[in-house]
């Protein structure tokens, strides 16, 4: 990766998350950026901090029956069903097309069993041009009655540890599900399992009903909520994890503009991910990079990394869920 | 290649209470668009509604300025906000998207079959067919009532025969557009080669596709779907297609469509 251009007055946008160096803190989120090349008409990948691929499984998956999406107040529900080309096609067709793209390529990984997570991670370890993997822990665990991997601390420790051993050469990002009572508990388990970086949040479970037919709008009944509607929930979770676990964070959830991104950084994110906004505006990510740069200049912030976790909590605030 | 830029509203006319004709300036889209393609259009600034709305390209106007037109019907929040956009407003407009129609083989007579606001896709196709100098098309056009039938002047002024059907019988044949189609198919001569181009609500596409398949007539369907991104990355807009023992295949309406042959999809 080429270092960020530095001229007099320009902000130092580079960030370091454990073993992962990014040229700037803006990363496109999994499932909203395809396999990267799809965005070439709208932006220069070279201007991005990085992007995360659609979630990859061992075999290709066709996904759920439609309707798969539904717009809701300032957000959307999706139940795509983790449709993807499979790890082999990713390595043979998608990854080579990204050679020299100048940005960090992060592969999102999931499985229905721990063995599947491990097998995908092992295939990806050492792949030329791949900079990190991100484990999606929101996938249902078919061996544990369909409960998501990410809701049980022992399961998290085990799957993260197994993937860590299967892909020792790649920085390991663990993506937490928000569908849990205390996200800090999951974050702690991910750290114990050997995560280098935490990313949060994935989508919140939700549903929509068509009153005319009295049926759920989504064929899958439930879907994941994303977009501006979830931002306050996600921001709180980032702050919560930051206060409980000492690992670098990629925060996300409803980021729609530069100020949203900066709030996530102040709450404790070293980098942010941008999801649903890519659908609304395919050039949004690189525009955010320019706007963050401009904001920092205006505020006299020399390096964006200096903003991470600068949240000023009222004196006497105890970390953890408090009465509201 | 598609592009995304703020397109100024050049004209915005109400055709009746809920149908509008929007003219936007976008030189790049005007230059690159083909009949059957669409744009994703921002209906209002901000996050409500959040997503852009897919709209067929109704026409590319002649001239250097690069004007495109959208014909739409107000059905909900997004289209209502769109209808309030004044001249001069800038609307994020992404396109041209999708595959577009395949023009018929030489000597084949095109039959355009429209249901309701599905009419919006056909003026562009009619102009492309005219440039192709093949047999001229006929239009079969159905709607709930007379008020739902718009853009008739476009076709009549170009001497394209128009046959109408309304569910309430307020004009044309009473019933669905499939009745017009069955009449047309019954009257055709053995040597006639026809190809159907169909756009309308999904139940209508299904019915027309079945009639076409039964009659052994080639048929292209323009599909509708919920489209969050329009560019093939969210995988939200899929349509079931004939699959295999493991079940149906799913294809993206936005990038692999919106135009499919009737035999390619399992509606
Ligand atoms: C490729 C493509 C081209 C289109 N071209 C045109 C066009 O040229 N002119 C035009 O008027 N419309 C067109 N549509 C349909 C148009 O996109 C929808 O009417 C619009 O998105 C509705 O937005 P809304 O916010 O007003 O409605 P909403 O508030 O989102 O919904 C109102 C009602 O409309 C239904 N609806 C919403 N979106 C769709 C959809 N995409 N398909 C079917 N039903 C829907 C909802 O289920 C609901 O009942 C096209 C759709 C596609 C996929
Ligand atoms: C259509 C869609 C598909 C997604 N697919 C994945 C996926 O495959 N793996 C994953 O870890 N997250 C996936 N996500 C979650 C996003 O990466 C992100 O965590 C979430 O959308 C919240 O961010 P946002 O509000 O900015 O969209 C998906 C989200 C959407 C909307
Ligand atoms: S609308 Fe997103 S893939 Fe088609």
């Amino acid at each position: 990766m080429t270092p960020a251009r530095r001229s007099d007055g320009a902000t130092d946008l580079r960030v370091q998350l454990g073993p992962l160096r990014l040229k700037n803190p803006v990363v496109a989120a999994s499932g909203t950026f395809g396999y990267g090349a799809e965005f070439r008409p709208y932006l220069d990948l070279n201007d991005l901090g990085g992007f995360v691929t659609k979630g990859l499984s061992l075999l290709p998956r066709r996904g759920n029956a439609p309707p798969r999406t539904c717009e809701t107040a300032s957000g959307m529900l999706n139940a795509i069903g983790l449709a993807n080309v499979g790890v082999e096609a990713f390595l043979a067709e998608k990854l080579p097309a990204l050679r020299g793209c100048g940005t960090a390529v992060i592969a999102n990984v999931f499985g229905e069993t721990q063995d599947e997570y491990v097998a995908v991670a092992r295939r990806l370890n050492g792949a030329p041009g791949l900079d990190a993997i991100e484990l999606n822990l929101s996938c249902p665990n078919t061996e544990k009655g369909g409960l998501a991997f990410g809701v049980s601390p022992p399961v998290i420790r085990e799957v993260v540890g197994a993937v860590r051993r299967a892909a020792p050469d790649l920085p390991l990002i663990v993506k937490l599900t928000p569908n849990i009572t205390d996200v800090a508990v999951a974050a702690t388990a991910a750290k114990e399992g050997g995560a280098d970086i935490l990313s949060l949040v994935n989508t919140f479970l939700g549903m929509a009903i068509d009153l005319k037919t009295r049926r759920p709008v989504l064929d899958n009944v439930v879907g994941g909520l994303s977009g501006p509607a979830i931002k306050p929930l996600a921001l709180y979770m980032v702050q919560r994890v930051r206060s409980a676990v000492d690992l670098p964070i990629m925060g996300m959830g409803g980021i729609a503009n530069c100020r949203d991104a900066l709030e996530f950084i102040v709450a404790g994110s070293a980098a942010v991910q941008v999801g649903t906004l890519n659908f609304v505006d395919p050039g949004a990510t690189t525009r955010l990079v320019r706007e963050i740069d401009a904001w920092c200049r205006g505020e006299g912030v020399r390096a964006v990394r200096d903003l991470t976790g600068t949240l000023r909590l009222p004196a006497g605030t105890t970390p953890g869920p408090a009465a509201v | 290649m598609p592009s995304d830029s703020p397109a100024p509203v050049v004209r915005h006319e109400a055709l009746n209470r809920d149908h509008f004709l929007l003219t936007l300036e976008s030189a790049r889209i005007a230059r690159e668009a083909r009949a059957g393609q669409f744009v994703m259009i921002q209906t209002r600034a901000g996050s409500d509604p959040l997503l852009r709305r897919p709209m067929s390209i109704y026409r590319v106007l002649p001239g250097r300025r690069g004007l495109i037109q959208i014909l739409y019907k107000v059905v909900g929040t997004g289209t209502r906000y769109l209808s309030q956009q004044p001249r001069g407003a800038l609307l994020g407009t992404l396109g041209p998207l999708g595959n577009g129609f395949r023009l018929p083989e030489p000597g084949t007579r095109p039959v355009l079959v429209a249901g309701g606001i599905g009419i919006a896709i056909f003026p562009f196709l009619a102009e492309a067919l005219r440039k192709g100098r093949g047999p001229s098309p006929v239009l079969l056009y159905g709607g709930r009532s007379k008020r739902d039938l718009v853009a008739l002047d476009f076709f009549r002024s170009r001497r394209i025969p128009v046959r109408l059907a309304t569910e309430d019988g307020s004009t044309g044949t009473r019933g669905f557009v499939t009745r017009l189609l069955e009449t047309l198919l019954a009257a055709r001569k053995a040597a006639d080669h026809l190809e159907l181009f169909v756009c309308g609500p999904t139940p209508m596409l299904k019915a027309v596709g079945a009639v076409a398949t039964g009659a052994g007539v080639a048929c292209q369907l323009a599909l509708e779907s919920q489209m969050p991104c329009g560019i093939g990355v969210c995988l939200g807009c899929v349509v079931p297609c004939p699959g295999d023992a493991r079940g149906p295949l799913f294809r993206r309406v936005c990038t692999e469509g919106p135009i499919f042959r009737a035999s390619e999809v399992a509606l």
Side-chain angles (χ1 to χ4, degrees):
Chain A
M1 238 183 301
T2 49
R5 216 170 349 103
R6 287 235 263 156
S7 60
D8 271 350
T11 319
D12 184 353
L13 293 173
R14 294 171 302 172
V15 293
Q16 177 98 31
L17 294 88
L20 181 65
R21 274 163 62 105
L22 303 177
K23 62 167 70 163
N24 66 60
V26 180
V27 174
S30 178
T32 67
F33 211 69
Y35 302 97
E38 294 93 328
F39 279 78
R40 283 198 160 120
Y42 315 107
L43 47 75
D44 187 348
L45 291 173
N46 190 24
D47 293 339
L48 266 180
F51 75 88
V52 189
T53 67
K54 178 69 190 156
L56 299 168
S57 49
L58 194 54
L59 299 174
R61 280 173 64 119
R62 294 177 187 177
N64 293 334
R68 289 179 171 183
T69 66
C70 161
E71 182 162 345
T72 56
S74 294
M76 63 174 280
L77 289 165
N78 89 82
I80 306 300
L82 296 165
N84 78 99
V85 298
V87 69
E88 294 305 332
F90 171 72
L91 289 169
E93 295 156 27
K94 307 294 183 187
L95 192 55
L98 294 165
R99 210 152 281 158
C101 71
T103 196
V105 180
I106 301 168
N108 185 273
V109 169
F110 73 94
E112 289 185 354
T113 63
Q114 180 170 311
D115 288 348
E116 188 180 355
Y117 275 96
V118 166
V120 178
R122 186 171 290 134
R123 265 315 265 128
L124 293 171
N125 191 47
L130 190 63
D131 294 281
I133 55 180
E134 178 180 69
L135 286 197
N136 171 9
L137 293 184
S138 295
C139 186
N141 182 346
T142 51
E143 291 171 328
K144 295 271 159 75
L147 219 59
F149 281 85
V151 300
S152 157
V155 172
I156 296 172
R157 260 192 302 275
E158 229 191 289
V159 70
V160 172
V163 167
R164 170 83 286 170
R165 291 186 292 279
D169 305 333
L170 286 169
L172 177 57
I173 306 165
V174 174
K175 183 168 179 178
L176 305 174
T177 170
N179 301 306
I180 179 171
T181 311
D182 184 1
V183 70
V185 174
T188 306
K191 180 173 182 181
E192 288 164 1
D196 296 312
I197 301 161
L198 299 173
S199 61
L200 65 151
V201 295
N202 212 312
T203 54
F204 289 78
L205 293 180
M207 76 179 295
I209 293 173
D210 181 337
L211 202 50
K212 224 188 302 175
T213 60
R214 301 206 191 168
R215 288 168 187 268
V217 175
L218 300 176
D219 186 80
N220 191 54
V221 183
V222 285
L225 183 65
S226 65
I230 70 170
K231 197 197 99 181
L233 306 169
L235 197 59
Y236 161 67
M237 289 192 173
V238 167
Q239 186 274 135
R240 170 84 188 117
V241 167
R242 165 80 180 192
S243 70
V245 181
D246 183 23
L247 275 185
I249 295 172
M250 286 191 182
M252 80 193 91
I255 292 176
N257 55 49
C258 161
R259 304 191 78 85
D260 291 341
L262 289 161
E263 287 175 28
F264 272 89
I265 291 172
V266 167
S269 308
V272 295
Q273 290 191 21
V274 175
T276 305
L277 186 62
N278 295 307
F279 303 158
V280 179
D281 175 358
T285 42
T286 53
R287 203 189 55 242
L288 282 184
V289 176
R290 292 191 296 274
E291 289 173 0
I292 290 172
D293 181 23
W295 186 89
C296 288
R297 279 194 236 190
E299 296 289 315
V301 174
R302 208 189 46 78
V304 72
R305 61 177 168 272
D306 296 341
L307 285 174
T308 294
T310 51
L311 181 70
R312 296 184 190 137
L313 287 170
T317 309
T318 48
V324 286
Chain B
M1 202 160 66
S3 60
D4 181 26
S5 58
V9 174
V10 173
R11 276 185 76 168
H12 204 166
E13 303 157 67
L15 302 184
N16 59 31
R17 210 182 47 190
D18 51 5
H19 288 79
F20 292 81
L21 184 62
L22 171 67
T23 306
L24 296 170
E25 183 175 334
S26 174
R28 246 182 103 167
I29 295 176
R31 197 167 55 237
E32 296 188 10
R34 296 189 314 274
Q37 289 189 300
F38 66 99
V39 295
M40 294 291 287
I41 188 161
Q42 178 197 18
T43 61
R44 184 166 95 144
S47 64
D48 173 35
L50 180 64
L51 302 168
R52 297 193 192 191
R53 297 297 189 253
M55 291 288 163
S56 303
I57 299 170
Y58 172 77
R59 279 188 77 194
V60 172
L61 295 183
R64 291 252 193 102
R65 196 159 162 210
L67 300 181
I68 62 167
Q69 288 187 313
I70 307 295
L71 173 69
Y72 67 94
K73 182 180 177 184
V74 172
V75 298
T77 331
T79 45
R80 185 164 318 111
Y81 284 128
L82 184 60
S83 72
Q84 292 159 4
Q85 292 291 349
R87 195 153 67 93
L90 293 175
L91 304 179
T93 306
L94 167 60
L97 301 170
N99 56 358
F101 288 110
R102 281 148 291 197
L103 294 183
E105 297 287 313
T108 301
R109 180 171 302 277
V111 180
L112 316 183
V113 187
I117 192 61
I119 192 71
I121 208 168
F122 289 124
F124 197 0
L125 178 62
E127 282 174 343
L129 291 169
R130 188 138 80 169
K131 278 192 198 134
R133 294 173 187 283
S136 73
V138 294
L139 171 67
L140 314 183
Y141 185 8
R144 209 160 293 156
S145 88
K146 191 172 174 182
R147 213 173 57 85
D148 289 322
L149 304 179
V150 293
L152 291 169
D153 289 348
F154 174 90
F155 296 94
R156 289 187 172 142
S157 68
R158 285 162 183 78
R159 300 178 194 292
I160 292 171
V162 177
R163 290 174 210 161
L164 304 177
T166 51
E167 286 169 46
D168 65 0
S170 49
T171 187
T173 303
R174 181 190 291 270
F176 292 115
V177 74
T178 36
R179 284 194 55 186
L180 300 175
L181 179 61
E182 278 154 0
T183 310
L184 179 122
L185 290 175
R188 95 186 131 139
K189 301 186 193 75
D192 273 359
H193 277 281
L194 302 181
E195 180 159 8
L196 308 186
F197 297 82
V198 193
C199 186
T202 304
M204 174 233 172
L205 297 182
K206 206 172 158 169
V208 173
V211 172
T213 307
V217 174
C219 180
Q220 297 182 35
L221 304 176
L223 267 56
E224 277 208 350
S225 166
Q226 293 291 331
M227 286 189 180
C229 76
I231 58 173
V233 297
C234 75
L235 312 180
C237 64
V238 297
V239 57
C241 298
D244 51 29
R246 291 201 294 128
L249 283 166
F250 297 113
R251 294 170 73 187
R252 289 164 295 182
V253 175
C254 66
T255 45
E256 294 162 84
I259 318 295
F260 292 91
R261 293 192 189 285
S263 56
E264 291 175 319
V265 291
L267 294 176

